[in-house]
Amino acid sequence: MNALRSWLFRLVFYAGSVPIVLVVPIVALFGQRAMVPYAHVWSYYHRWAAATFLGVRTRFEGVLPEGPVLYAAKHEAMYETVELQPLLRGPAVVLKRELWNIPFWGWATRVYGGIPVDRDASAAALRQLVHDAKVAREARRSVVVYPEGTRVPHGERPPLRSGFAGLYKALGYPVVPIALDSGRLGLRRGTVTPGEVTIRLGEPIPPGLPRREIEARVHAAINALNAG
């Protein structure tokens, strides 16, 4: 039964996403103020499809901060990349550069205010990341980053990527860690088990801390729900 539910979700979600994506070039003509709420329409569609066909819902814990912050989130499935955007009121998001090459999607990401990052973590790539982060800071916009760098199975705790410390320093924002457990339900791949995904905001961590301290605190906080 779960396999059938998972197949139906993919069919409905991706088929329904096609017309949403095709309208993106029109929405993009009106700039970021139009693109952000339009992208959230897609997020709400994803939420409906996940609840209806997968039996997966979100429990959100914590209080959203008033001013701009750097959100550092665990990454276990595509689920949170879609779900977090409206929950966090449309922050700029750090995404791997490969996604920017997808037709329509890449353009939408640029208009939305995404921040591309290269996997190679070269000096030039890190400089570009810092530059783009400062653009978001000038706009007084929060930023969300997945500091472990990629999706990981539930229960794994890879080290933080080097770009996180540079981003933290460049923005000068408090960090709000986000723990979650989407991988526990099999949302990373394959058959999904119905259940509840917890997304938990941790206590803000102040700016200006030494690299070793901020990385240790963030790493512990985003893995708070990562038991087994």
Side-chain angles (χ1 to χ4, degrees), residues 64-105:
L64 288 171
E66 293 298 324
V69 299
L70 174 59
Y71 292 105
K74 187 71 179 177
H75 191 14
E76 296 185 351
M78 188 187 95
Y79 185 87
E80 58 267 9
T81 64
V82 182
E83 187 75 0
L84 282 175
Q85 293 308 113
L87 285 175
L88 303 181
R89 303 172 183 157
V93 58
V94 178
L95 295 168
K96 58 185 179 182
R97 187 174 292 276
E98 290 94 326
L99 295 176
W100 291 53
N101 297 325
I102 300 174
F104 295 121
W105 176 271

Side-chain angles (χ1 to χ4, degrees), residues 13-177:
F13 174 65
Y14 288 110
S17 295
V18 171
I20 294 175
V21 172
L22 290 178
V23 178
V24 161
I26 298 173
V27 178
L29 296 174
F30 298 91
Q32 190 176 103
R33 290 175 65 89
M35 182 57 72
V36 171
Y38 185 74
H40 294 174
V41 169
W42 184 62
S43 297
Y44 295 135
Y45 175 64
H46 175 267
R47 183 183 298 176
W48 169 83
T52 301
F53 297 98
L54 298 177
V56 173
R57 290 174 171 79
T58 299
R59 180 175 66 197
F60 184 73
E61 300 177 354
V63 179
L64 288 171
E66 293 298 324
V69 299
L70 174 59
Y71 292 105
K74 187 71 179 177
H75 191 14
E76 296 185 351
M78 188 187 95
Y79 185 87
E80 58 267 9
T81 64
V82 182
E83 187 75 0
L84 282 175
Q85 293 308 113
L87 285 175
L88 303 181
R89 303 172 183 157
V93 58
V94 178
L95 295 168
K96 58 185 179 182
R97 187 174 292 276
E98 290 94 326
L99 295 176
W100 291 53
N101 297 325
I102 300 174
F104 295 121
W105 176 271
W107 185 21
T109 301
R110 284 189 287 272
V111 176
Y112 187 93
I115 299 173
V117 61
D118 290 311
R119 291 179 181 271
D120 61 9
S122 66
L126 292 177
R127 284 196 298 270
Q128 186 62 48
L129 175 64
V130 168
H131 173 271
D132 292 339
K134 288 180 177 178
V135 172
R137 185 182 65 185
E138 290 171 3
R140 298 284 296 167
R141 194 174 182 192
S142 292
V143 175
V144 59
V145 63
Y146 300 95
E148 291 176 339
T150 189
R151 291 178 297 173
V152 297
H154 187 69
E156 292 191 5
R157 302 165 56 104
L160 304 192
R161 294 292 183 94
S162 59
F164 170 74
L167 191 64
Y168 168 72
K169 182 177 180 180
L171 285 170
Y173 284 172
V175 177
V176 174

